[in-house]
Amino acid sequence: MAKKQKEGLFTRIKKFFVDERTRYLLSLLLIFFVLYLFFAMFSFLFTASDDQSQILVATKNKHVTNWTGYIGAKMANNIINNGFGVASFAALLFPFVLALRLVGKKLMPLWKAFILSAIILVWGSVFFSFFFYKFYQNWAVSFGGAHGDFMSEYLFENCGWGTILIIIAVFVMILMLCSSQSIFWIKNLFVRKKTALPIQSDEIVDEKLEEDVVEELVEQEEIINEITFSNDEEKDDFMVETPIEDSSEVEILDNENEIEVEIQDSLDTEMAINDPEYILKKYGKYDPRLDLMHYKFPQLSLLKTYPNENMPVVDMQEQNANKDKIVTTLRNYGIEVESVKATVGPTITLYEIVPQAGTRISKIRNLESDIMLSLKATGIRIIAPIPGKGTIGIEVPNENPQIVSMHSVIASKKFQEEEKFVLPVALGRTITNEVFMFDLAKTPHLLVAGATGQGKSVGLNAIITSLLYKKHPSELKFVLIDPKMVEFNIYASLEKHYMAKMPDQDSVIITDSTKVIQTLNSLVIEMEDRYKLLMAAHCRNIIEYNEKFVNRQLNPEKGHRFLPYIVIVIDEFGDFIMVAGKEVETPIARIAQKARAVGMHMILATQRPSVNIITGVIKANVPGRIAFRVSSMIDSRTILDASGANQLVGKGDLLYLGGGNDLVRVQCAFVDTPEVEKIVEHVSKQQAYPSAYILPECEISESGGDLNISGVDMTQRDPLFEEAARMVVSTQQGSTSNIQRKFSVGFNRAGRIMDQLEHAGIIGPQEGSKPRKVLVASEFELDQMLNNMN
């Protein structure tokens, strides 16, 4: 009985799925689902940038522009960006074929549709990621998806440029699977085309050639027969003097003509190869990111989120109470207030008051302590008047301050869509809760000061994090100097991506005072070398220079190279000033004075804002200032040339002074150590350069003086000097690029070897764009010179 019941249940289930209505219903559902996904994915290609902040962050108000709403946008993001990229459209083929099969329409076999969809899905994601990554890496849509980016990077690391052959092989396999006609197309690639006739097989071609020869012989015989000869001997003489044209001779003449054309083309190419327009047209613009073409910028998910991080918490009871206290206090001193307006920020609320006409502003400013007493505040700041407004501002700390997360700043539309800034830094939020940004390249150097524990180190991490989220390793390098030995050690893993160091330097994080002096002098040499490149290229700044290099207008054979920006961060430089004094202050001043035009920018941080640390030379050349809370008004005036830093509340509360004279109060974004570790880990696991960016070598004398800045020191010849000299003499060619390629050294070291060769009299001086002359004719003569030098 039980067996019959089971068979009855199975039969009923089978009948349900075999029933025509069920099949049509399932077919319609599949078709509608396929269409929904298609429109969701198609719309995602155009709306992803607008919807990204909504679908990646959990928000209550889900306003998206995708045609299929929030769910469709979310699904499309998972399928395309987190999946197989634009090749994901191929995944819709199988369910569409299945839907048609349910209603009796056979488009293709199901097994073929499934295999075809899977292969195109996998192959297409790798294809788009490998060949188009550099075009979409800053877009909201990932053409190759997470799968394509991972696989293309894996294949490139293990197979190199052989990855292209793998992609082509799979493509041919797809063609053969799609159509049997593709086999004939592939066969024709290996058939030698002997005539312009449609080729079907070798036999047909040979037969056609034989027919053509026979017809030609018959035509010539008929022409000869039409001529009247007096006798047979005259006819034979004519045949001897007028032989039938041999096809082999025709081919030889044709080959000679082709060779003459090829020679002319090679001459034209040789003349055009020095033409920048020709090179640009042939090779396209130079892409500095191509060496790390699969590099992925850090994701927003690496940063911690906090509740209500985008909107400040407004406590109306606290606001009204503070308004009443301010009005009452001013009234007690005979000052009437017409209106009070409050603007709530994450940690500070700005109360803008409009006093009665005839009130002296200085009278209100003198009541700062009385107002702070009535509000029971830890510190207030009076802005009298607010620039551009007819009001007086009183900044009062909130009872319940909010954390400004780095996530909320980096994820903001203002930071994500910023394209005008060369080195964009998202510092935090203002008292009006707006994201505050500045361009370090325009600052161009920055002084960061504040008492211990007031947020200075977090501020430096926020600056570095902002740059890591915006700049590619090919465009930016850091020099990190840290006497504390613990603040910047977390960034050591970025050595082969973002760091610059001197040759033979053990660690990229510089902690020893002697190494600091060497590094700063090395940076001065780097600065001077860059100015020489700008002068040779007739450029005024690094932007013009790199633009010319990208457009193939500068020749690497003449020493030109793409110049990344260099950001030098010195934490607690006051310690180095106290230990080394002028030996540190002098190169800092030189860099601050001149390095802006060549893309080198300095950030100096100290917790000792005294006049013997922040000297007049440093202040004169470092216009950008960030002041965290300090203990006295004197320290505030030392940093900002104005009071106010002594009235801050601490914990990231700061005043920023840029190019203008207006101070901006900002709550610095908080980036915790675990967040920085995640970012560093994300970057360090990716494909990297063979080594860090190498700075010029710089030896210092016992007195601390630099030996290499003033001239060439032949007592400290490069270890490769003799080998380079022999290579130059044997080849009778002397150039920096040849030494770079032959000995696998950097441009700066190769340039110093060339200077030493010139100083030794082995090669001549530079003569503009002409190659240097080799002054030594034989290796015997070179051996004598080297023996005398030794």
Side-chain angles (χ1 to χ4, degrees), residues 765-784:
Q766 288 184 338
E767 299 180 7
S769 60
K770 297 181 180 179
R772 289 177 183 251
K773 293 181 179 179
V774 180
L775 305 179
V776 179
S778 64
E779 293 191 13
F780 177 76
E781 183 181 349
L782 176 63
D783 289 335
Q784 290 182 326

Side-chain angles (χ1 to χ4, degrees), residues 4 24 29 48 63 75 137 146 156 258 260 268 284 343 349 378 437 502 595 599 657 686 700 723 733 746 766:
K4 290 183 178 180
Y24 270 86
L29 290 176
H63 299 292
M75 293 174 66
Q137 56 185 340
F156 188 77
E258 290 179 1
E260 292 179 1
D268 294 340
T343 303
T349 298
T378 56
M437 292 180 60
M502 293 178 59
L657 178 63
Q686 301 188 61
I700 58 174
E723 293 184 51
Q733 292 180 352
Q766 288 184 338

Side-chain angles (χ1 to χ4, degrees), residues 300-414:
L300 292 174
S301 58
L302 300 174
L303 298 173
K304 187 178 179 181
T305 58
Y306 295 85
N308 300 320
E309 63 179 11
N310 292 319
M311 294 298 295
V313 177
V314 179
D315 188 343
M316 294 304 301
Q317 184 177 357
E318 178 186 349
Q319 280 189 31
N320 294 331
N322 287 339
K323 287 180 182 179
D324 294 339
K325 290 176 183 178
I326 291 173
V327 171
T328 302
T329 303
L330 294 176
R331 186 175 295 153
N332 291 338
Y333 290 92
I335 300 173
E336 294 295 332
V337 176
E338 294 184 357
S339 65
V340 181
K341 177 186 175 183
T343 303
V344 181
T347 57
I348 302 295
T349 298
L350 173 64
Y351 295 91
E352 298 181 56
I353 64 173
V354 179
Q356 196 174 33
T359 304
R360 295 176 62 88
I361 295 178
S362 60
K363 190 175 182 181
I364 298 177
R365 190 183 291 115
N366 293 334
L367 296 176
E368 181 178 301
S369 300
D370 300 279
I371 297 173
M372 185 171 66
L373 177 64
S374 65
L375 294 174
K376 299 179 182 179
T378 56
I380 68 169
R381 178 169 169 260
I382 295 180
I383 309 172
I386 297 177
K389 295 184 177 180
T391 59
I392 295 173
I394 302 177
E395 296 175 347
V396 182
N398 297 335
E399 291 185 6
N400 298 311
Q402 285 182 274
I403 294 177
V404 175
S405 68
M406 198 71 201
H407 177 275
S408 67
V409 175
I410 297 295
S412 65
K413 185 177 181 181
K414 184 176 183 180

